[in-house]
Amino acid sequence: DKAVAASPTDVDAQRQLAELLWREGRHDAAIEHSEDAVKLEPQEAPTVVRAGEMYLAVGQANRALLLAERSLTLDRSLPSAWALRGRVFRQRRQYDRALADLQRALQYAPDESNVLLEIAELHYELGRPQRTLTTLHYLLDRYPPGDQPQRALWLEGLAFSAVGRPGEAAASLLAA
């Protein structure tokens, strides 16, 4: 607060204050400072994306989409921008567009585990359990046994069940 008060045009102070407020659950104030950071550096695509992520998290998908589009105009190779737009489309139940954008995010950041998990979830929601399993196994192979994300193991159990493999489904669900 003091840094922003002393230098309201310091974009780093605005971003850091926004993140701190966000972690404290003060979302409206965080978004306000995030928007201030965007105004100070409108060409900084990661700052624009972060503001969009905050808007999406509070249910303002329209504003999040605008910021995702703006960030993609600034940097077409920014994985977080593609992921944000994919998440907006997913929230809007435009699953094919969401999947395309999330896969584009992976093109630029192939090891992004959160994006891989979201793609697996989308495949499951679209009734594609085999693709779900393929994506999950690619993700789960990156972790040592016992360190796999619970959400991924749980989804693996659901997908195994959907393809008629109850023993493997039970083992995955138990591990989760």
Side-chain angles (χ1 to χ4, degrees), residues 93-111:
R93 300 188 187 287
Q94 294 175 298
Y95 296 126
D96 289 331
R97 291 184 77 181
L99 191 56
D101 282 352
L102 290 170
Q103 288 173 334
R104 188 73 180 265
L106 276 185
Q107 176 184 350
Y108 297 110
D111 295 326

Side-chain angles (χ1 to χ4, degrees), residues 6 12 42 73 88 91 93 99 102 119 122 141:
D12 289 327
T73 300
V88 170
Q91 191 176 81
R93 300 188 187 287
L99 191 56
L102 290 170
I119 289 171
L122 272 170
D141 285 346

Side-chain angles (χ1 to χ4, degrees), residues 21 28 134:
L21 293 167
D28 291 340
T134 300

Side-chain angles (χ1 to χ4, degrees), residues 34-114:
S34 186
E35 281 285 0
D36 288 344
V38 168
K39 289 174 190 167
L40 291 169
E41 280 192 358
Q43 301 301 311
E44 183 65 25
T47 302
V48 176
V49 168
R50 184 61 183 129
E53 290 170 343
M54 288 179 180
Y55 276 111
L56 185 61
V58 297
Q60 294 188 35
N62 291 337
R63 181 69 180 141
L65 182 58
L66 289 173
L67 291 169
E69 296 285 351
R70 181 171 165 189
S71 62
L72 286 169
T73 300
L74 296 170
D75 186 352
R76 300 288 295 173
S77 65
L78 186 64
S80 58
W82 288 105
L84 173 60
R85 195 171 80 167
R87 290 176 183 123
V88 170
F89 288 138
R90 183 178 182 195
Q91 191 176 81
R92 291 179 167 189
R93 300 188 187 287
Q94 294 175 298
Y95 296 126
D96 289 331
R97 291 184 77 181
L99 191 56
D101 282 352
L102 290 170
Q103 288 173 334
R104 188 73 180 265
L106 276 185
Q107 176 184 350
Y108 297 110
D111 295 326
E112 185 59 47
S113 60
N114 288 334

